[in-house]
Amino acid sequence: MTFDPGQLGQSKADLAERLREMRKRAGRTQVWLAKRCNISQTKLSNIETARITPGIVDVELILRALDAPQELVAEVTALARLANTEWQGKRSSWRRGLEKRQAELAGLEKEAEKLRYFLPAMVTGLLATPEYIRASLDHSPVDTSKTVARKLERQAVLYDTAKQFTFLLTEQAVRWEIVPPSALAVQIDRIASLSHLPNVRIGVIPLGVPVSRGPMNTFTVYDQRLATVETFTGRIVFQDARDITEHLEVFALYERHALFGNEARSLLTQWAQSCRP
């Protein structure tokens, strides 16, 4: 099934309708199907009315119980995967107010215990200086003053030692000059400083390191339950376990090629010095 952001909102209703139709065509009641799938009848009812979105495992159990043909299994499984994906367009974020997006991110960070950030292009707000944050929002056609403040407030989460953070940055991300060289030096110094926090691991991947897979997108994985991927026009939120697992595997690949600890700080110091006159 081709990914189309415009389909995402409708896919949940389509999935619910398809599962309901399949059960009725098979001549089965909700009570019978719920028992066969070892789920409550209330949950099955909520699935069939699109009040909740079933995970891939639930969908596979239902399809197996209904003895669905293979071609239908493939179609409905693809629909379920689409239903577990959310599109958040950039223009929609602008209309709602960028500070609301910061509140959503703060909520995700509050709930998660292990957070992984892959940053191939720019520094994320959690690691950024105020000047860097303001420069990164220059393209936004809205008032960004509240967003800058909220991004800075969010940085307090780094000091919560109950959480573990891993940031992977390419050399391009660290050295991308969206601020003047003197300000970039301060930004790089901040990254090096935060790497001393006991619950924060910061890895850098210098140019010239051979990696078999190109760094296509910025992405974040929250525990093993959700992954967000940044694009130019918006953000994709994955909740399908297979999508999350694949992003964890990509993250692990780059993690194996990154430098951490004193080696990373030594490189960061060199890059910061190169920005100073």
Side-chain angles (χ1 to χ4, degrees), residues 45-67:
S45 176
N46 287 333
I47 288 172
E48 290 189 354
T49 54
R51 290 190 181 93
I52 64 174
T53 302
I56 300 298
V57 172
D58 287 331
V59 171
E60 289 177 345
L61 287 172
I62 292 170
L63 293 172
R64 193 176 302 123
L66 295 175
D67 197 24

Side-chain angles (χ1 to χ4, degrees), residues 79-107:
L79 188 60
R81 193 172 189 183
L82 196 59
N84 278 276
T85 303
E86 179 184 352
W87 170 255
Q88 298 174 347
K90 197 173 291 292
R91 291 179 178 82
S92 175
S93 293
W94 290 338
R95 287 193 299 270
R96 291 191 306 124
L98 295 179
E99 68 276 7
K100 289 185 174 63
R101 173 60 187 163
Q102 296 307 304
E104 293 169 359
L105 288 172

Side-chain angles (χ1 to χ4, degrees), residues 40-214:
S40 70
Q41 189 268 333
T42 299
K43 179 176 180 179
L44 181 59
S45 176
N46 287 333
I47 288 172
E48 290 189 354
T49 54
R51 290 190 181 93
I52 64 174
T53 302
I56 300 298
V57 172
D58 287 331
V59 171
E60 289 177 345
L61 287 172
I62 292 170
L63 293 172
R64 193 176 302 123
L66 295 175
D67 197 24
Q70 192 57 44
E71 61 273 14
L72 195 56
V73 168
E75 180 183 343
V76 176
T77 300
L79 188 60
R81 193 172 189 183
L82 196 59
N84 278 276
T85 303
E86 179 184 352
W87 170 255
Q88 298 174 347
K90 197 173 291 292
R91 291 179 178 82
S92 175
S93 293
W94 290 338
R95 287 193 299 270
R96 291 191 306 124
L98 295 179
E99 68 276 7
K100 289 185 174 63
R101 173 60 187 163
Q102 296 307 304
E104 293 169 359
L105 288 172
L108 289 173
E109 291 155 1
K110 182 179 179 180
E111 293 175 6
E113 294 182 357
K114 192 165 188 178
L115 303 95
R116 302 171 177 87
Y117 299 80
F118 179 60
L119 307 166
M122 288 176 61
V123 175
T124 185
L126 288 181
L127 304 178
T129 62
E131 187 169 356
Y132 191 99
I133 291 173
R134 282 191 289 271
S136 70
L137 295 170
D138 272 352
H139 67 285
S140 303
V142 293
D143 180 11
T144 59
S145 56
K146 291 182 180 179
T147 304
V148 173
R150 293 289 171 83
K151 279 179 175 281
L152 293 173
E153 288 173 8
R154 278 178 48 220
Q155 293 177 356
V157 75
L158 294 174
Y159 300 90
D160 182 350
T161 54
K163 300 180 183 299
Q164 296 181 355
F165 297 86
T166 303
F167 298 90
L168 297 181
L169 300 97
T170 64
E171 181 174 344
Q172 171 178 302
V174 176
R175 305 182 74 174
W176 190 258
E177 294 191 18
I178 70 166
V179 291
S182 58
L184 184 59
V186 174
Q187 172 59 67
I188 298 173
D189 287 341
R190 173 168 171 75
I191 296 172
S193 176
L194 290 171
S195 72
H196 288 283
L197 292 175
N199 61 321
V200 175
R201 296 176 69 239
I202 295 180
V204 295
I205 306 172
L207 292 173
V209 173
V211 185
S212 60
R213 193 163 187 173

Side-chain angles (χ1 to χ4, degrees), residues 1-16 18 56 59 63 71-85 236 238 240 242-243:
M1 179 175 291
T2 303
F3 174 79
D4 177 1
Q7 294 178 334
L8 294 181
Q10 184 60 34
S11 62
K12 297 180 181 181
D14 291 343
L15 176 63
R18 184 64 61 85
I56 300 298
V59 171
L63 293 172
E71 61 273 14
L72 195 56
V73 168
E75 180 183 343
V76 176
T77 300
L79 188 60
R81 193 172 189 183
L82 196 59
N84 278 276
T85 303
I236 307 169
F238 294 103
D240 182 339
R242 291 177 297 183
D243 291 319

